[in-house]
């Protein structure tokens, strides 16, 4: 092999190595199938060798709208795009998922899909430079409800290391009482009438995380604006109190003056970011056996 050829080969190999370390966004990966419907997610692979902490992002939208890419209507209440630079900047491998939506799909289709996504991520995280032993769930509003439900589950195959809810719905019964009946979203999700009948109350309670808190849950952080008119912050205060009663770890970061929408909240209060990242560092940290890994 000539000197020039060898030099060219070395340059080519270095180019491949550099490309492998660059951040990459991969769209529309299949993570499962349910009722004849493909379940898709987007994956962001950070630069650097990893293994990186992993975040699974779950959009809101009243269980009936929203999208993994941010939102079908950017800037609305289901838009989770403010999370993308946050977790990317903290060098997370992250996966943003779609799930089956109401009214076509009734509960528990959405949480079944999240469970499928968690198992898929645990199996495939290393392929995207992620650490399957350092996973956090992010969920907003209805997606926040879903990640809190996931936190209450006891199946070891669904165990994650941390859960972050932004304005999560944790008590569907209290929400319905406050509204004087079931919201349209809940009627679609469960196929129930607007009246709070005993049967409806029982079904709502069965799907409400606050009624299923138990010792041994993963650490939970809630981030919510005190000007939220969609999900009252009192729900989050009550949920954190319930966690502490059982000896679980729960913290609340209040965004002063912020409404329900993540996008609108970014215009009012971004002070949550530093304590959120510090909390993630405490919960996930760096793997002892991966000294080169980047932690948030």
């Amino acid at each position: 092999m000539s000197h020039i050829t060898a030099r060219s080969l070395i340059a080519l190999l270095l180019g491949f190595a550099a490309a492998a370390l660059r951040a990459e966004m991969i769209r529309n990966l299949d993570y499962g199938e349910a009722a004849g419907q493909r379940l898709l997610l987007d994956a962001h692979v950070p630069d650097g060798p990893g293994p990186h902490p992993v975040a699974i992002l779950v959009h809101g939208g009243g269980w009936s709208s929203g999208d993994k890419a941010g939102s079908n209507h950017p800037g609305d209440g289901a838009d989770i795009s403010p999370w993308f630079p946050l977790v990317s900047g903290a060098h997370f491998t992250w996966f943003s998922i779609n799930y089956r939506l109401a009214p076509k799909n009734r509960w528990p289709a959405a949480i079944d899909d999240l469970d499928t996504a968690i198992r898929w991520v645990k199996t495939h995280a290393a392929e995207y430079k992620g650490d399957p032993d350092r996973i956090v769930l992010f969920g907003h509003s209805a997606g926040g409800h879903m990640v809190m439900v996931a936190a209450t589950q006891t199946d070891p195959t669904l165990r994650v290391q941390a859960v972050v809810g932004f304005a999560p719905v944790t008590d569907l019964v209290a929400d319905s009482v406050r509204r004087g009946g079931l919201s349209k979203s809940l009627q679609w999700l469960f196929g129930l009438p607007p009246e709070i009948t005993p049967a409806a109350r029982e079904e709502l309670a069965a799907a409400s995380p606050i009624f299923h808190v138990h010792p041994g849950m993963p650490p939970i952080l809630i981030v919510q604006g005190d000007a939220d008119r969609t999900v009252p912050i009192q729900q989050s205060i009550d949920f954190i109190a319930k966690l502490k009663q059982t000896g679980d770890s729960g913290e609340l970061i209040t965004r002063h003056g912020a409404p329900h929408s993540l996008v609108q909240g970014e215009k009012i209060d971004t002070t949550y970011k530093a304590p959120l990242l510090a909390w993630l560092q405490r919960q996930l940290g760096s793997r002892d056996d991966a000294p080169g890994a980047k932690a948030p």
Side-chain angles (χ1 to χ4, degrees):
M1 181 180 291
S2 69
H3 178 68
I4 295 177
T5 303
R7 180 178 297 174
S8 299
L9 179 59
I10 291 171
L12 182 62
L13 292 173
L14 289 174
F16 285 152
L21 295 178
R22 295 192 195 111
E24 182 181 12
M25 191 75 199
I26 306 169
R27 304 282 185 186
N28 295 321
L29 291 168
D30 287 85
Y31 71 87
E33 182 177 344
Q37 182 174 329
R38 293 171 65 197
L39 303 177
L40 302 176
L41 58 76
D42 294 340
H44 180 271
V45 185
D47 58 6
H52 301 281
V54 174
I56 300 174
L57 312 183
V58 187
H59 69 78
W63 304 276
S64 60
S65 66
D67 185 77
K68 59 184 171 55
S71 175
N72 293 324
H73 306 284
D76 73 8
D79 191 346
I80 59 171
S81 58
W83 288 346
F84 301 158
L86 179 69
V87 289
S88 296
H91 291 275
F92 273 78
T93 292
W94 56 265
F95 303 92
S96 185
I97 72 167
N98 274 350
Y99 51 89
R100 286 173 290 166
L101 299 173
K104 181 180 179 181
N105 304 281
R106 300 271 172 80
W107 187 263
I111 190 62
D112 287 346
D113 293 349
L114 175 54
D115 290 348
T116 299
I118 292 170
R119 293 188 177 104
W120 186 94
V121 167
K122 286 189 171 190
T123 300
H124 296 279
E127 299 167 27
Y128 303 90
K129 299 193 289 188
D131 184 346
D133 295 322
R134 292 190 292 150
I135 297 176
V136 59
L137 306 180
F138 270 64
H140 173 243
S141 192
H145 163 260
M146 290 167 59
V147 301
M148 294 302 164
V149 171
T152 68
Q153 297 180 129
T154 57
D155 185 336
T157 68
L158 300 173
R159 178 76 183 188
V160 296
Q161 286 63 57
V163 178
V164 178
F166 281 70
V169 187
T170 56
D171 189 340
L172 302 177
V173 177
D175 182 73
S176 298
V177 170
R178 176 179 69 92
R179 296 172 185 270
L182 276 68
S183 66
K184 185 64 70 175
S185 294
L186 291 181
Q187 293 174 51
W188 287 346
L189 184 64
F190 294 99
L192 293 169
E195 297 81 17
I196 309 174
T197 64
R201 183 182 290 268
E202 183 177 349
E203 193 161 352
L204 294 174
S208 295
I210 197 165
F211 296 112
H212 304 284
V213 169
H214 59 84
M217 289 171 55
I220 288 175
L221 176 68
I222 294 180
V223 182
Q224 186 163 7
D226 58 9
D228 193 330
R229 298 294 177 261
T230 303
V231 179
I233 195 171
Q234 188 62 46
Q235 276 209 22
S236 295
I237 294 170
D238 293 343
F239 189 69
I240 295 297
K242 187 69 174 289
L243 289 170
K244 292 182 177 180
Q245 287 173 10
T246 58
D248 291 308
S249 174
E251 298 182 36
L252 173 65
I253 297 175
T254 301
R255 302 178 69 184
H256 298 290
H260 189 68
S261 164
L262 295 179
V263 173
Q264 295 303 315
E266 290 297 292
K267 302 174 183 177
I268 297 171
D269 184 356
T270 60
T271 59
Y272 72 93
K273 293 181 180 180
L276 167 60
L277 292 175
W279 185 86
L280 289 172
Q281 172 67 51
R282 291 195 301 273
Q283 308 310 324
L284 304 179
S286 299
R287 286 186 56 169
D288 293 337
D289 58 346
K294 295 181 180 180

